[in-house]
């Protein structure tokens, strides 16, 4: 049974880097059968797509407003993918979800439970 | 792309037919999904490609529309349908979500 589990610090200081990992069980990331995505949700901004990754060959797609601050990477040996968001501010406080979508033009059909990240000194 | 949902909140009785509208500010063909989110949980995919029912989703949920105007209908509202519903376009890299419609039970 597919499971996605987010992990990482729940508190990050302003100007530092937010780092989260999504561990996938029940599916093999290296099979290249899916895209693996990050989405966040906050009261002020609602649900916001961050980006997704297909493989470790550079096939990543980011929302333009975060491009330059965000990196999504995959570690196929650990069946994990990760999010790094640099130079965070309070506006980056949100629940962060990892999810999968089957094709580039497909919605996310499976989500992790989400993890709250607060940006505060 | 901007996605605008209406209404923001609604309250209906069990058994009522409920309709939620989502408008895009440009043509997204049928690249639209609907999600249900219950408090403290991740969104759950209900409808994809505007009108296709995701596997395992009750048949009382249906979607329609294309281009810029879309509708999610719950044919007979059930107590378990208490949730917030979101539309999402996935025709662009933005994959923009609507602001949500909170559905309550009278």
């Amino acid at each position: 049974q597919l499971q996605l589990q987010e992990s990482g610090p729940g508190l990050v200081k302003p100007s530092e880097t937010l780092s989260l990992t999504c561990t996938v069980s029940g599916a093999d990331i290296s099979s290249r059968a899916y895209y693996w995505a990050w989405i966040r949700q906050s009261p002020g901004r609602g649900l916001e797509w961050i980006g997704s990754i297909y493989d470790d060959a550079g096939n990543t797609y980011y929302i333009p407003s975060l491009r330059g601050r965000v990196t999504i990477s995959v570690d196929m040996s650990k069946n994990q993918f990760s999010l790094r968001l640099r130079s965070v501010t309070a506006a980056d406080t949100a629940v962060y979800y990892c999810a999968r979508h089957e094709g580039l033009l497909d919605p996310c059909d499976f989500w992790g439970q989400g993890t709250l990240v607060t940006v505060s000194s | 792309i901007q996605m605008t949902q209406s209404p923001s909140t609604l309250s209906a009785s069990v058994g009522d037919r409920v309709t939620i509208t989502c408008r895009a500010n440009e043509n997204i063909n049928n690249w639209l999904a609907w999600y249900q989110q219950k408090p403290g949980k991740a969104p759950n995919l209900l409808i994809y490609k505007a009108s296709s029912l995701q596997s395992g989703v009750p048949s009382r949920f249906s979607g329609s529309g294309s281009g810029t105007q879309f509708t999610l209908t719950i044919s007979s509202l059930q107590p378990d349908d208490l949730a917030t519903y979101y539309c999402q376009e996935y025709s662009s890299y933005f994959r923009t979500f609507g602001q949500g419609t909170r559905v309550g039970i009278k």
Side-chain angles (χ1 to χ4, degrees):
Chain A
Q1 183 175 353
L2 179 65
Q3 288 190 345
L4 304 179
Q5 180 66 58
E6 305 89 351
S7 60
L11 181 64
V12 181
K13 290 183 167 58
S15 80
E16 294 190 346
T17 297
L18 180 160
S19 296
L20 295 174
T21 296
C22 183
T23 300
V24 179
S25 54
D28 183 359
I29 287 183
S30 64
S31 70
R32 294 176 172 82
Y34 294 97
Y35 291 76
W36 304 95
W38 289 97
I39 303 106
R40 66 182 181 179
Q41 184 175 29
S42 63
R45 301 165 77 102
L47 281 162
E48 182 179 33
W49 183 264
I50 297 171
S52 63
I53 187 166
Y54 179 66
D55 58 20
D56 56 0
N59 290 304
T60 52
Y61 307 89
Y62 304 123
I63 187 172
S65 61
L66 293 179
R67 206 172 286 152
R69 283 207 298 140
V70 65
T71 302
I72 298 175
S73 60
V74 63
D75 186 336
M76 293 186 176
S77 67
K78 294 182 179 179
N79 221 37
Q80 295 175 334
F81 63 105
S82 298
L83 170 71
R84 286 173 56 86
L85 184 63
R86 297 174 286 279
S87 303
V88 296
T89 69
D92 296 308
T93 294
V95 175
Y96 285 77
Y97 295 99
C98 60
R100 78 168 191 190
H101 56 106
E102 186 166 351
L104 193 56
L105 284 178
D106 280 317
C108 289
D109 64 345
F110 204 90
W111 298 55
Q113 63 184 22
T115 188
L116 174 63
V117 179
T118 301
V119 178
S120 175
S121 55
Chain B
I1 298 177
Q2 294 180 1
M3 307 299 292
T4 304
Q5 281 182 241
S6 61
S8 298
T9 62
L10 71 87
S11 185
S13 300
V14 172
D16 281 355
R17 184 181 184 86
V18 168
T19 299
I20 300 169
T21 298
C22 180
R23 282 196 179 89
N25 67 341
E26 60 183 80
N27 184 2
I28 60 169
N29 296 301
N30 63 347
W31 301 116
L32 184 103
W34 288 97
Y35 295 89
Q36 176 193 65
Q37 186 177 33
K38 296 184 178 180
K41 301 291 188 182
N44 180 49
L45 179 65
L46 300 175
I47 302 285
Y48 62 96
K49 280 189 182 174
S51 60
S52 296
L53 191 68
Q54 175 70 358
S55 176
V57 173
S59 59
R60 64 181 180 272
F61 292 94
S62 64
S64 64
S66 66
T68 62
Q69 186 146 350
F70 304 87
T71 300
L72 173 71
T73 300
I74 309 173
S75 61
S76 177
L77 189 69
Q78 300 301 304
D80 188 51
D81 300 335
L82 178 101
T84 301
Y85 294 82
Y86 295 92
C87 62
Q88 183 202 21
E89 64 83 14
Y90 50 97
S91 68
S92 72
Y93 287 132
F94 294 90
R95 290 181 165 246
T96 310
F97 290 87
Q99 79 277 19
T101 296
R102 184 174 297 181
V103 175
I105 309 290
K106 280 183 185 174

